[in-house]
Amino acid sequence: MGRLSAKQALLWSSALALPFALITMLTVALGPVPGVAPQYLFLSAMAVESPATSPAELPAQGWQTVKLRGSIPHSKVRPSSGWFRITIHADAVPDELWAVYFARPFSNLAVFVNGTPVGTSGPMTRPIPMFRQPLIFKFPGSLIRPGANSVVVRSLEAAFLSQLDVAVIGPVAQIEPAYDFEFALSVTYKRIAVVVLCVLGAVFAALSLIRRREIGYAWFALALFGWATHIGNSLVPRAPLMPEILWIFIGSIAMGVFAIATAMFVNHHTQQRQPRIERAMLSFGVAGAAFQILDGLFFKLPLSFFVPLVWLPGLLLVALNSLLQLLRALKRHPGFDIYVLLAGAWLLLVVGMRDMLIETGVLTWGPMYMPYTVGFTLSAISAVLLNRFVRAFDAAERARDELDERVRAKSAELETSLVRMKDLERERALGEERQRILQDMHDGLGSHLVQALAIATSRDALRPLEESLRSCLDELRLMVDSLEPANGDLASVLGSLRPRISRRLTLAGVKINWQVGDLPADPDLGPRKVLDVTRVLQEALTNAIKHSGCDAIAVHTGVDAASGRIEISVTDNGRGMQIDGTGHGISSMRRRTAALGGELTFEDAAPGTRVTLRLPAPVNRNAASGQSPDRAQTQGNLARQS
């Protein structure tokens, strides 16, 4: 991970200090009885074990002094019924409402003031309630008399030794604020936590059904339901089933479900599977749950050691493994999610260790702090989910923008293609019309020219017209030939020109050296381009025959290695010619060359003249743009038309 920056060091220090800060804050907030004057606190009492149901039935002997919070001496009798007597002194009869308050009774209580019952927390019959929430018993101040007063409390416990918390006895105005504060922390907060955990559990369960391949969501939903069950278990004073200890063990089993399911979620979330360890964790969870159920059903068996000495340490090892997994994930792929989950795991591990040490008796008794980590844990989960949502939203926006851009590009492409198709269709219609006209000319005018040529050939008086008629016929055939599909093959176009000019060359006594080889395919080679190339070469040959006085002409084709341009040259061995560009033939050649996008040069060939037509390098439209041949041909036709 490299050296930490100042910001990273601060974040790590804050994460490490978080559980200790929470423990310190809760210790202050959940102290013996915060905010109550010391004269109203009673930290010791006289205690005796007795099945009596009222103070009048209590024995006079056997009372012992116990420290509060404290329990009666060891007894195997269940339910365990213990009586605690607290003596208070008053100077006068108070004229205000008084109360007896216990912050964390962990028992079922009945309170008597000077022999008068002032209230019970629940029925004294099986199943016997066990209140893990604050209890307050209000009574009129008139029950207090000047001098010594006896406050007797019966504590009935189904599974454990009867016990009593620190007692607070005094005016309601002094005590009730402490009760309200404790009730908010011990009851209201936990109720809200249970509701939020259940809602989040349902959300993740739904996500697991929607995204079945992400099994981590299902494990996390199970963890949240387990934690909600563990906290909710403490909010139900009277067990809905018998024996009562089984209800307590269900809360312990729910904590195991939370720890093991969270570990499975971490392994799935970080994509660091541990098949053997996962099987061991699941086996430990099933065996531990079965062990506690047996302990609850058969309470006389000596199995009560299992939870503090086996179950809780095992769950801490599970939590420690999750912490190590997150550290490995942070080393491999550091990210916000892992940082937050690691901080949450560290918080749960430290607080869970503290609660375990209290359960096993290593630390002085105190309230369990694990339920109070819900707020921090849910904040961490919310941060992770919010971060994921923001990233997913950003990715969705980017994908939407890309899709919009693609749609716009495709729409523009479709519009362009539509225009091109219309142009192509128009060009095709024009081409068909031109072909029809030329074919009609060939069939009509051509037949008349052939007939006229036959007449001129057979009559000496008309022989001067023979050459003109043959030229007209060749011109007509040349135009008709230009409409034939060339399929991009310029060499075949030149090949069709050769027989058209051979007779004229023979009559003129000129030999031809035809050096036309294979040329690169040109997808833009349409009728117009074929006709322009043919006209330029025809004019070059005609000029050589008429003006150079040559007896040999060479036609050569090639490709320029540097530029890829196609070169067609016509070279004669005549006396050379003066090129002034004013003749109609030369002007026509230049105009057609410009339409082809090419270059026309005239050079002294010593002897003779060389006329070179250079055409642009053919573009392989299919390879360059990934277009289909039909579309490439469409673009070629558009280029020719323009």
Side-chain angles (χ1 to χ4, degrees):
M1 294 173 61
R3 188 175 180 180
L4 296 178
S5 64
K7 183 178 179 180
Q8 290 175 323
L10 179 61
L11 290 175
W12 277 105
S13 301
S14 301
L16 291 174
L18 176 62
F20 302 102
L22 177 64
I23 291 173
T24 302
M25 181 182 69
L26 290 174
T27 301
V28 173
L30 300 175
V33 184
V36 175
Q39 64 267 29
Y40 302 124
L41 296 178
F42 294 88
L43 305 179
S44 64
M46 300 298 292
V48 68
E49 182 180 15
S50 172
T53 59
S54 68
E57 301 172 4
L58 290 174
Q61 305 296 323
W63 291 83
Q64 299 180 24
T65 301
V66 296
K67 183 178 179 181
L68 302 180
R69 159 190 266 309
S71 61
I72 63 173
H74 180 69
S75 173
K76 293 185 179 180
V77 178
R78 296 292 184 274
S80 175
S81 177
W83 288 82
F84 297 84
R85 185 170 62 211
I86 301 170
T87 302
I88 63 174
H89 296 271
D91 297 330
V93 177
D95 57 359
E96 56 187 332
L97 197 64
W98 272 44
V100 180
Y101 164 56
F102 302 95
R104 288 173 289 276
F106 275 79
S107 185
N108 189 32
L109 305 181
V111 180
F112 301 82
V113 176
N114 290 326
T116 303
V118 298
T120 59
S121 57
M124 296 293 174
T125 56
R126 306 290 295 271
I128 298 172
M130 185 178 73
F131 287 86
R132 287 170 279 185
Q133 59 195 51
L135 295 175
I136 188 169
F137 303 90
K138 299 178 182 180
F139 61 92
S142 59
L143 294 180
I144 301 296
R145 54 178 178 255
N149 294 268
S150 175
V151 177
V152 179
V153 181
R154 185 190 184 191
S155 174
L156 189 63
E157 173 58 57
F160 306 103
L161 289 174
S162 60
Q163 55 190 312
L164 191 66
D165 191 22
V166 172
V168 183
I169 306 173
V172 170
Q174 296 290 327
I175 297 174
E176 197 162 35
Y179 167 79
D180 292 339
F181 177 76
E182 182 71 28
F183 190 89
L185 281 179
S186 301
V187 180
T188 305
Y189 172 84
K190 291 182 179 180
R191 288 174 179 172
I192 295 173
V194 169
V195 172
V196 173
L197 287 171
C198 288
V199 170
L200 280 177
V203 169
F204 278 98
L207 283 175
S208 69
L209 294 176
I210 296 172
R211 303 176 64 89
R212 295 181 181 273
R213 291 196 297 179
E214 296 192 25
I215 192 66
Y217 287 141
W219 283 114
F220 195 68
L222 182 61
L224 293 174
F225 284 128
W227 202 356
T229 302
H230 172 74
I231 297 174
N233 178 268
S234 67
L235 297 175
V236 180
R238 195 173 194 188
L241 44 80
M242 290 285 289
E244 294 92 342
I245 188 64
L246 186 60
W247 181 245
I248 297 175
F249 284 158
I250 286 177
S252 174
I253 293 171
M255 176 53 67
V257 171
F258 166 70
I260 295 173
T262 299
M264 297 294 293
F265 162 72
V266 168
N267 284 3
H268 282 274
H269 183 76
T270 59
Q271 298 181 354
Q272 298 177 135
R273 301 302 304 277
Q274 300 172 297
R276 292 184 179 180
I277 294 179
E278 290 175 5
R279 286 195 295 269
M281 289 191 300
L282 294 173
S283 299
F284 173 74
V286 172
F291 209 59
Q292 292 177 77
I293 291 174
L294 289 175
D295 194 359
L297 294 175
F298 307 100
F299 186 66
K300 294 182 179 181
L301 295 177
L303 302 179
S304 57
F305 71 93
F306 179 76
V307 171
L309 299 181
V310 179
W311 182 245
L312 292 180
L315 296 183
L316 280 178
L317 290 177
V318 171
L320 181 61
N321 179 72
S322 298
L323 186 70
L324 294 176
Q325 285 288 84
L326 289 170
L327 285 172
R328 294 190 190 102
L330 185 64
K331 185 177 181 180
R332 291 193 305 119
H333 303 293
F336 175 80
D337 290 6
I338 304 300
Y339 275 111
V340 173
L341 291 176
L342 186 59
W346 170 246
L347 172 67
L348 294 177
L349 181 65
V350 174
V351 176
M353 178 75 73
R354 177 258 178 201
D355 288 359
M356 186 199 73
L357 294 176
I358 290 177
E359 285 279 357
T360 56
V362 176
L363 295 179
T364 304
W365 188 93
M368 299 294 105
Y369 289 170
M370 274 293 288
Y372 299 100
T373 62
V374 172
F376 295 92
T377 306
L378 293 182
S379 297
I381 296 170
S382 300
V384 171
L385 292 178
L386 181 61
N387 182 57
R388 278 199 165 191
F389 172 78
V390 170
R391 289 187 303 181
F393 187 75
D394 289 343
E397 280 196 330
R398 289 194 298 271
R400 184 200 63 191
D401 292 341
E402 291 178 3
L403 182 60
D404 289 345
E405 184 62 30
R406 290 183 180 180
V407 169
R408 284 194 294 269
K410 288 296 183 182
S411 298
E413 186 177 334
L414 288 174
E415 290 178 2
T416 303
S417 298
L418 182 61
V419 172
R420 289 172 178 169
M421 290 178 64
K422 290 181 178 178
D423 291 343
L424 180 60
E425 182 64 24
R426 183 168 56 253
E427 182 181 347
R428 185 187 63 80
L430 291 174
E432 290 178 351
E433 184 63 19
R434 286 194 298 266
Q435 187 172 9
R436 184 190 65 79
I437 293 172
L438 288 175
Q439 190 64 44
D440 290 344
M441 290 175 63
H442 179 271
D443 295 342
L445 181 60
S447 62
H448 289 301
L449 288 173
V450 170
Q451 185 178 5
L453 179 61
I455 295 173
T457 304
S458 62
R459 298 180 183 180
D460 293 338
L462 299 177
R463 282 192 180 276
L465 298 176
E466 180 181 354
E467 188 60 29
S468 296
L469 290 172
R470 289 188 182 277
S471 297
C472 290
L473 191 58
D474 287 342
E475 287 290 331
L476 180 60
R477 289 170 176 170
L478 191 64
M479 287 188 290
V480 174
D481 288 345
S482 68
L483 294 175
E484 294 295 326
N487 297 322
D489 189 358
L490 183 58
S492 65
V493 172
L494 298 178
S496 65
L497 175 63
R498 183 177 181 178
R500 303 299 184 195
I501 61 174
S502 294
R503 184 177 181 280
R504 294 181 62 191
L505 293 172
T506 302
L507 292 176
V510 177
K511 296 180 180 179
I512 186 167
N513 183 10
W514 195 265
Q515 300 177 9
V516 176
D518 293 334
L519 295 173
D522 185 356
D524 291 342
L525 191 63
R528 178 64 178 271
K529 192 171 183 178
V530 168
L531 185 60
D532 286 340
V533 171
T534 305
R535 288 295 192 193
V536 171
L537 296 181
Q538 184 186 31
E539 187 66 29
L541 291 169
T542 301
N543 288 337
I545 295 172
K546 288 183 177 181
H547 306 294
S548 70
C550 65
D551 59 5
I553 296 177
V555 179
H556 178 268
T557 60
V559 179
D560 183 75
S563 63
R565 295 193 301 178
I566 296 175
E567 296 182 349
I568 308 171
S569 63
V570 177
T571 307
D572 64 70
N573 63 350
R575 58 179 174 271
M577 54 186 298
Q578 185 70 26
I579 305 299
D580 56 9
T582 58
H584 176 71
I586 299 299
S587 298
S588 176
M589 292 172 68
R590 294 188 187 279
R591 185 177 64 254
R592 292 182 183 275
T593 301
L596 292 169
E599 179 186 1
L600 185 66
T601 61
F602 298 86
E603 303 172 284
D604 186 3
T609 302
R610 179 180 296 112
V611 180
T612 304
L613 173 63
R614 294 180 177 86
L615 301 175
V619 177
N620 188 345
R621 300 183 185 277
N622 298 343
S625 61
Q627 298 171 351
S628 65
D630 292 341
R631 185 171 176 183
Q633 181 64 34
T634 301
Q635 292 183 340
N637 292 335
L638 291 173
R640 289 192 299 275
Q641 186 181 22
S642 62

